[in-house]
Amino acid sequence: METALLFLLKLCIGVLPPSAGKTAQPGIAGSFAGLHNGVLLVAGGANFEQGYPWDGGKKIYKNDIYICRKKDSGDLQWQTLASPVFPVEVAYGVSVETPEGIWCIGGQTASGISADIHLLSFSQET
């Protein structure tokens, strides 16, 4: 059985907006993701936005947060938050959905392995 998260991720493939201050989205790998209060939240991740690794491009760890909402029309609407950003530039951790939000556990940063734990949540008021 397909989960709601997997269904939304399939719908959203290829439509992730650019990072704040950027004009293109090369994609992200290893981001945290989950559903909270009716929206899909995606945070962190890594990419090679300055070129492919075999061409000398360097891996860039991200602290962007993206929100995907389903509009009344049924269309999906992505938003890149300029602020706040995720507290650390990190990828390849574990996401755990809970009623309080999405626990983002561990991962890798540019300086090595992280054991940090952060709670990512969404409120309709913000």
Side-chain angles (χ1 to χ4, degrees):
M1 174 184 249
E2 188 170 73
T3 66
L5 174 59
L6 182 57
F7 176 73
L8 271 176
L9 284 172
K10 285 180 178 179
L11 286 176
C12 298
I13 289 173
V15 295
L16 192 67
S19 298
K22 303 285 183 173
T23 58
Q25 174 56 265
I28 55 171
S31 58
F32 298 100
L35 296 171
H36 187 249
N37 285 338
V39 301
L40 173 63
L41 298 171
V42 177
N47 63 24
F48 292 88
E49 64 186 41
Q50 300 170 345
Y52 295 115
W54 51 87
D55 291 333
K58 180 182 173 195
K59 184 181 285 190
I60 305 294
Y61 291 89
K62 312 299 280 182
N63 64 348
D64 299 308
I65 299 175
Y66 304 94
I67 299 172
C68 185
R69 297 180 174 117
K70 189 172 182 181
K71 296 175 7 180
D72 291 338
S73 65
D75 294 335
L76 297 175
Q77 177 184 22
W78 277 101
Q79 176 185 2
T80 305
L81 296 183
S83 177
V85 293
F86 203 64
V88 64
E89 296 171 341
V90 62
Y92 313 117
V94 175
S95 306
V96 179
E97 292 179 16
T98 69
E100 295 81 22
I102 302 150
W103 288 100
C104 304
I105 305 167
Q108 182 177 344
T109 68
S111 58
I113 301 300
S114 170
D116 292 347
I117 300 173
H118 303 280
L119 180 62
L120 185 62
S121 61
F122 178 79
S123 170
Q124 296 292 343
E125 291 83 43
T126 58

